[in-house]
Amino acid sequence: MSNVGTSVIQVTATDADDPTYGNSARLVYTVLEGQPYFSVDPQTGVIRTAIPNMDRETQDEFLVVIQAKDMGGHVGGLSGSTTVTISLIDVNDNPPKFPQSLYQFTVMEDTAPGSVIGRLRAHDPDIGENAVMSYTILDGDAGDTFIVMSDSAGQDGILKVQKPLDFETRRSFTFRVEVMNTVIDPQYIRRGPFKDVTTVRVTVGDVNESPLFSQNPYTLSVLENQPAGTLVGVVQAHDPDLQSNSISYSIEPLSNPEELFTINPEDGTLRTSVFLDRENKKEHSITVTASETDSPSQVSRVGVLIQVLDINDNPPTLAEIYKPHVCDNAQAGQVIQTVRVKDADIENGVFHIQSPSATSDGNFTLQDNKDGSASLLVKHSGFWKSQRDIFLVPIEIKDNGDPPLSSTDTLTVSLCHCEAGGAVLTCQMTTGSATGLSTPALLAILACAFSLLALVSLFYLQRRHKPSPLSLCEDEDIRENIITYDDEGGGEQDTQAFDMSALQPPQTGLSGGFFHPPRMDVLPRVPHHPAPRSPQTAPVDVQRFLALRLREAERDPVAPPYDSIQVYGFEGGGSSAGSLSSLTSSSGGLGEEELIGEDIWEWGPHFRTLAEIYGAKRRHSTAEE
């Protein structure tokens, strides 16, 4: 856009000929290529623009060829040429333009604020800072629902949601957006305006939304000490969708662990389920959920703060346990104690404190200070003459509630011996106010005492009616117990299988004699002294040997079998003597059987039958041979 004749550059050529000799070194400059855009001064070599309003957007670079010829440019002169590259620098001579007159976007109603809806792009043929653009919403029904801003490069306009959308409230928005250059050159303002306007239409889409509460949060209140089922308040929610669904209400269990409140699932009515005590807890916080009946996944939550309102249900009492004392030298009108009053209810601090004249002993006066406190004053002097060590001063306290409540208390004043300055020397101190026990407390103590007495009586009667044992050792004597086993014995291998000491009667200290003869069927608990055995003589008399062993066994108190009989259904194995049965004996030859038969004849008459059996068998075998 430079004017005609604007200087671009000066080119210079050199000639080695002698400039003083004719025209040999006189140079003339001409344009060989680059017309009609540029021209060159033939004498100085300055290149200038030849036409006005050169447009960079049409052509931004030119190659200009300049020739230098000596001899003044006449025929026969020598020449040289050079190429000059000329670039056009951009100026802001083009306004931005929207390629569309209408932009349309669709956004869902649950789109979060700050989300991008789309981009607007205007076209500016300039480059660099001359092409930087800004976007602005001019008018329309967008309000502050949407916002448009330039991107980091300054080229596109980014359209964003600024406020929550609601399909049921508004389904579309139409507004105008303006774009303009941020840098404008005043020289080219006549080519403006450097801005453009387009129309934007945003359509809001419907989604299935969660129920919407009418408030968030709720603050409700209820009086204390009301019966279960008392109305607290109502929470309400509605389905914001076009096709509204019914709502179901519930209380989150974690927010109502003690189940102090209930809610009607259909209408959201909150009620108490127990008595509430403001002095125990002033506020309760619960969470109520609302869900669509047809779509339980669509759930909304809201916090509900329930304040418990106070009623006058607590009488005023003394603020602490007081231990007043009066000196024996106290003067009339002297303050010996200041008491204060407390009330668990919310009061205005107005209390009436007095001492009933009917029960007062006349030694002290209670003065109400009208600020929730009272002063105990000495009514007269001369306590050193008193024969009493303790004085009881009744106090009646009444609040200003509706209805007013009152309570009584008693101050126990101790008489002390004091110095002239009031320092206590000796004193009959007490534990403070003697409040005593109320009637319900006394009844509770008596009921516990009677219950304990009844339990003791019942236990005693049960002990008396318990049957006594028939004998001293009935519980422990197990001799007559019979135990049956269905397994067979193992012969000689079972001699140590059972402990016979389990059948022994308990030790009573009486053994032998007329009443308790010795038992031969049990193992006696006496020290065992084995009887001395006589040496065996040869030859062996079997009958005598067996008789001797039998006598020793009968005299031995620890030797088996204790007059017990065991029957075995089979013959034991493992004995080194082998079997004595003839059923398993061999029938051929003279062997061990014949030797045993011959020895049996020497055992005596008691074994004659056995010897005859072996002897007959032996003779029968000899006859056959």
Side-chain angles (χ1 to χ4, degrees):
M1 301 300 296
S2 298
N3 296 326
V4 175
T6 301
S7 174
V8 179
I9 192 174
Q10 181 180 11
V11 295
T12 303
T14 60
D15 194 331
D17 295 330
D18 186 2
T20 61
Y21 178 74
N23 295 327
S24 298
R26 190 167 68 88
L27 303 180
V28 176
Y29 299 93
T30 58
V31 177
L32 298 182
E33 295 182 12
Q35 295 176 340
Y37 302 103
F38 299 95
S39 63
V40 62
D41 189 297
Q43 304 299 327
T44 62
V46 175
I47 301 176
R48 302 177 183 275
T49 58
I51 61 174
N53 301 329
M54 298 181 64
D55 190 7
R56 185 204 64 82
E57 288 75 28
T58 302
Q59 185 176 352
D60 61 350
E61 187 176 271
F62 298 87
L63 297 180
V64 179
V65 178
I66 303 298
Q67 182 188 63
K69 189 174 182 181
D70 59 7
M71 298 298 292
H74 293 90
V75 178
L78 302 178
S79 64
S81 63
T82 187
T83 301
V84 180
T85 302
I86 301 176
S87 299
L88 295 185
I89 299 175
D90 183 61
V91 296
N92 191 8
D93 59 340
N94 296 282
K97 296 290 183 179
F98 282 109
Q100 300 176 218
S101 60
L102 176 64
Y103 290 84
Q104 296 188 10
F105 302 96
T106 300
V107 59
M108 306 308 294
E109 63 176 332
D110 60 347
T111 302
S115 301
V116 177
I117 299 176
R119 288 175 175 264
L120 304 175
R121 173 169 292 184
H123 177 67
D124 189 337
D126 297 325
I127 60 174
E129 64 176 7
N130 297 320
V132 176
M133 297 170 284
S134 62
Y135 297 83
T136 308
I137 295 179
L138 290 180
D139 52 18
D141 51 11
D144 55 354
T145 306
F146 303 95
I147 186 173
V148 61
M149 59 184 62
S150 301
D151 60 0
S152 59
Q155 297 297 306
D156 295 345
I158 302 175
L159 184 62
K160 295 183 178 181
V161 178
Q162 195 170 2
K163 292 179 61 177
L165 304 174
D166 186 10
F167 172 81
E168 290 71 27
T169 303
R170 190 162 192 174
R171 303 184 182 183
S172 65
F173 296 85
T174 302
F175 50 90
R176 294 193 308 159
V177 175
E178 180 186 67
V179 60
M180 64 182 301
N181 288 128
T182 58
V183 178
I184 298 177
D185 192 341
Q187 296 182 8
Y188 310 105
I189 192 69
R190 66 184 184 278
R191 301 178 64 88
F194 290 85
K195 58 184 178 180
D196 195 15
V197 177
T198 188
T199 302
V200 177
R201 180 175 297 167
V202 179
T203 302
V204 181
D206 186 24
V207 296
N208 189 11
E209 299 176 272
S210 301
L212 183 64
F213 283 96
S214 59
Q215 299 180 31
N216 191 4
Y218 283 85
T219 301
L220 306 176
S221 60
V222 62
L223 290 174
E224 66 173 331
N225 295 340
Q226 300 301 310
T230 301
L231 177 64
V232 178
V234 179
V235 295
Q236 291 182 344
H238 69 280
D239 185 4
D241 296 327
L242 190 61
Q243 296 180 352
S244 179
N245 295 322
S246 59
I247 306 298
S248 177
Y249 301 91
S250 63
I251 301 177
E252 288 192 352
L254 293 178
S255 65
N256 189 30
E258 300 177 358
E259 298 183 355
L260 303 179
F261 305 95
T262 60
I263 190 170
N264 189 313
E266 296 180 357
D267 58 10
T269 302
L270 281 170
R271 298 182 182 273
T272 61
S273 57
V274 295
F275 281 86
L276 301 179
D277 187 7
R278 189 203 66 86
E279 288 70 34
N280 185 29
K281 193 173 184 179
K282 299 179 181 179
E283 294 179 343
H284 301 271
S285 181
I286 62 175
T287 302
V288 176
T289 61
S291 60
E292 297 182 9
T293 305
D294 297 338
S295 181
S297 60
Q298 298 297 329
V299 179
S300 295
R301 293 172 175 82
V302 69
V304 180
L305 179 65
I306 301 175
Q307 299 176 343
V308 182
L309 303 181
D310 182 51
I311 63 174
N312 193 23
D313 59 342
N314 293 279
T317 60
L318 293 178
E320 57 182 282
I321 298 177
Y322 294 96
K323 300 178 181 180
H325 68 275
V326 60
C327 292
D328 53 2
N329 56 2
Q331 301 298 319
Q334 179 179 346
V335 178
I336 63 173
Q337 183 69 61
T338 300
V339 297
R340 293 195 170 274
V341 178
K342 66 177 182 179
D343 195 335
D345 298 322
I346 301 177
E347 299 289 347
N348 53 14
V350 178
F351 300 97
H352 302 284
I353 309 172
Q354 63 181 0
S355 179
S357 57
T359 57
S360 177
D361 61 357
N363 295 312
F364 302 95
T365 300
L366 193 65
Q367 179 180 336
D368 191 354
N369 298 328
K370 304 299 183 180
D371 60 353
S373 67
S375 300
L376 184 63
L377 289 78
V378 177
K379 194 172 183 179
H380 58 77
S381 60
F383 280 94
W384 58 272
K385 302 178 182 179
S386 177
Q387 301 297 323
R388 300 165 56 186
D389 295 331
I390 296 176
F391 302 91
L392 301 180
V393 181
I395 297 179
E396 182 181 6
I397 309 170
K398 182 182 295 185
D399 60 19
N400 197 29
D402 184 20
L405 298 178
S406 63
S407 66
T408 59
D409 207 333
T410 302
L411 289 177
T412 303
V413 183
S414 302
L415 179 60
C416 301
H417 178 58
C418 305
E419 295 180 351
V424 177
L425 296 177
T426 60
C427 191
Q428 181 67 25
M429 297 303 294
T430 63
T431 59
S433 60
T435 58
L437 294 175
S438 61
T439 302
L442 290 176
L443 293 178
I445 294 175
L446 290 177
C448 293
F450 280 121
S451 300
L452 182 59
L453 181 60
L455 289 176
V456 172
S457 301
L458 181 61
F459 179 74
Y460 176 73
L461 293 176
Q462 184 178 6
R463 293 283 296 180
R464 289 189 58 185
H465 288 80
K466 182 176 180 181
S468 59
L470 297 178
S471 63
L472 180 63
C473 303
E474 181 181 1
D475 294 337
E476 299 180 359
D477 194 354
I478 58 173
R479 291 175 298 168
E480 296 181 0
N481 292 344
I482 300 176
I483 302 175
T484 303
Y485 299 93
D486 291 336
D487 57 330
E488 294 178 336
E492 295 179 357
Q493 295 178 348
D494 275 354
T495 56
Q496 301 297 330
F498 301 97
D499 185 6
M500 295 301 181
S501 63
L503 301 176
Q504 181 181 1
Q507 196 71 17
T508 60
L510 300 175
S511 62
F514 178 77
F515 294 97
H516 297 278
R519 296 288 299 269
M520 299 301 295
D521 57 346
V522 296
L523 179 63
R525 296 183 180 178
V526 295
H528 172 56
H529 302 285
R533 297 184 180 180
S534 59
Q536 298 180 2
T537 60
V540 179
D541 187 353
V542 177
Q543 182 176 1
R544 183 181 177 184
F545 174 76
L546 292 178
L548 179 60
R549 290 293 183 264
L550 179 60
R551 185 165 55 252
E552 291 177 357
E554 290 176 349
R555 293 179 180 178
D556 190 354
V558 296
Y562 316 112
D563 290 345
S564 61
I565 300 175
Q566 297 190 27
V567 179
Y568 299 96
F570 62 92
E571 203 164 17
S575 175
S576 59
S579 175
L580 297 178
S581 175
S582 61
L583 300 177
T584 58
S585 302
S586 175
S587 60
L590 294 175
E592 183 183 357
E593 299 169 354
E594 295 179 357
L595 296 177
I596 294 175
E598 293 177 357
D599 293 339
I600 293 177
W601 289 99
E602 298 175 2
W603 289 1
H606 292 288
F607 297 92
R608 182 177 300 171
T609 303
L610 183 60
E612 289 177 353
I613 294 174
Y614 277 92
K617 185 175 182 181
R618 178 174 58 85
R619 289 191 295 268
H620 180 67
S621 300
T622 305
E624 289 181 354
E625 292 177 357

